[in-house]
Amino acid sequence: MTKLYKKYREPDSKLVVDTFLEDREKLCARFRDRAEDVHCGRNREVFLMRGYVVKIPLNHCGIADNDWEGSVSNCEDYPQSDWQVQYARTRMVYVNDIPVVFMERVEYVTGKEIVQRLGHEPNWTGCVDGGQVGFNRSGRLVAFDYGIR
């Protein structure tokens, strides 16, 4: 568990929570104006930018999701596998102690489209919550939402 996650989990610290909310809203406003599209999930607000995605946590679970996604990523030359989850490339930065994930943009595809393009659907796609997989710009099949919460 990161120092940040502990910091924002303090239940008695209204000031810390208020500060987190203010900082998060400023971050969201910064990306909202430039985004091609914005999606709000259960734990994170996601900004679709040109060529990449920005994920900003909305709550404690979003902080944990960003901590995980920012730590687990496959490089472009990582060997393709039918059994091991392939992750989209990410980079995580802390802005005012808030973990912000920058992820390569991925084109969502269905299982049928995967079979049409690859000839089969790799086993690992069934392990990704909601089948949130797609192809990156180099044609590699990757998971694009693999937060732990």
Side-chain angles (χ1 to χ4, degrees):
M1 188 180 315
T2 66
K3 179 178 104 178
L4 166 80
Y5 189 81
K6 289 179 188 173
K7 175 181 173 183
Y8 287 124
R9 281 187 62 198
E10 297 297 325
D12 299 328
S13 179
K14 184 176 180 338
L15 177 62
V16 170
V17 172
D18 288 347
T19 301
F20 168 76
L21 294 174
E22 289 171 18
D23 290 347
R24 181 186 55 78
E25 187 50 42
K26 288 176 189 172
L27 270 172
C28 289
R30 181 191 307 176
F31 290 104
R32 197 173 286 124
D33 294 337
R34 298 183 333 210
E36 294 176 0
D37 202 2
V38 179
H39 297 275
C40 192
R42 181 178 66 237
N43 299 325
R44 298 180 288 187
E45 193 161 351
V46 179
F47 301 89
L48 303 178
M49 312 301 277
R50 175 174 269 166
Y52 65 98
V53 174
V54 180
K55 298 182 178 188
I56 298 176
L58 295 173
N59 51 41
H60 303 304
C61 291
I63 290 171
D65 286 343
N66 273 10
D67 189 48
W68 174 251
E69 282 189 5
S71 303
V72 178
S73 176
N74 294 134
C75 60
E76 198 59 31
D77 58 354
Y78 191 82
Q80 287 278 28
S81 170
D82 275 351
W83 56 271
Q84 187 173 1
V85 177
Q86 304 293 298
Y87 298 111
R89 290 177 298 146
T90 61
R91 176 170 293 153
M92 183 174 59
V93 298
Y94 286 89
V95 180
N96 295 333
D97 289 334
I98 298 175
V100 178
V101 167
F102 293 84
M103 178 181 282
E104 69 179 325
R105 188 123 176 218
V106 176
E107 171 200 347
Y108 170 76
V109 291
T110 64
K112 183 178 179 178
E113 292 169 307
I114 294 169
V115 172
Q116 288 173 342
R117 286 177 73 171
L118 299 180
H120 72 290
E121 186 172 0
N123 294 334
W124 63 263
T125 61
C127 300
V128 178
D129 182 38
Q132 296 178 92
V133 300
F135 289 98
N136 64 13
R137 65 179 165 179
S138 63
R140 185 180 183 90
L141 182 65
V142 296
F144 61 83
D145 187 353
Y146 46 93
I148 59 174
R149 305 281 174 152

